Amino acid sequence: MAELLDDDEIESQLPDEWERDGDEITKTYEFDDYLRGIEFVTKVGEVAEEEFHHPEIIVGYKTVEVRLTSHEEGGITEKDIRLADLFDDER
Ligand SMILES: C[C@H](O)[C@H](O)[C@H]1CNC2=NC(N)=NC(=O)C2=N1
């Protein structure tokens, strides 16, 4: 089980354009059209399965909001930071 990160660790390790929201980290990606966003959702899902760490994904028109937390640990861990970086690599 991963260790929970403290406030300073979260702040210092949060990737660009990601925000902290309580026990979650979140980022909203914007796309030129709806189906590009859907393509990105598929890539995010594949990475999540590979890492066995799953985000909440909210699909809008030309936007995809991704929210990460470590449910078992009850907060934000290195796993969430790692997934955020991997999702950004898929962009
Ligand atoms: C049993 C537990 O659901 C699994 O080990 C995995 C699945 N995916 C997960 N995803 C996230 N975000 N947090 C978890 O704690 C988690 N646990």
Side-chain angles (χ1 to χ4, degrees), residues 33-81:
D33 62 60
Y34 180 75
L35 290 180
R36 298 300 77 72
I38 295 298
E39 286 169 4
F40 179 67
V41 168
T42 301
K43 292 176 184 173
V44 165
E46 287 165 351
V47 169
E49 270 301 284
E50 285 163 19
E51 299 294 320
F52 203 55
H53 195 72
H54 303 84
E56 181 182 11
I57 304 171
I58 299 100
V59 178
Y61 178 58
K62 300 185 183 181
T63 64
V64 174
E65 179 184 354
V66 179
R67 304 184 71 86
L68 280 160
T69 190
S70 295
H71 299 295
E72 289 174 61
E73 293 83 356
I76 300 164
T77 71
E78 293 287 352
K79 289 185 279 186
D80 301 305
I81 304 297

Side-chain angles (χ1 to χ4, degrees), residues 5-46:
L5 300 177
D6 65 30
D7 292 346
D8 293 338
E9 289 168 326
I10 294 166
E11 203 53 46
S12 65
Q13 294 181 41
L14 207 56
D16 289 348
E17 298 177 351
W18 283 78
E19 294 177 359
R20 180 189 181 168
D21 183 4
D23 283 340
E24 297 179 312
I25 60 172
T26 182
K27 177 174 180 176
T28 297
Y29 298 84
E30 297 183 355
F31 298 89
D32 292 338
D33 62 60
Y34 180 75
L35 290 180
R36 298 300 77 72
I38 295 298
E39 286 169 4
F40 179 67
V41 168
T42 301
K43 292 176 184 173
V44 165
E46 287 165 351

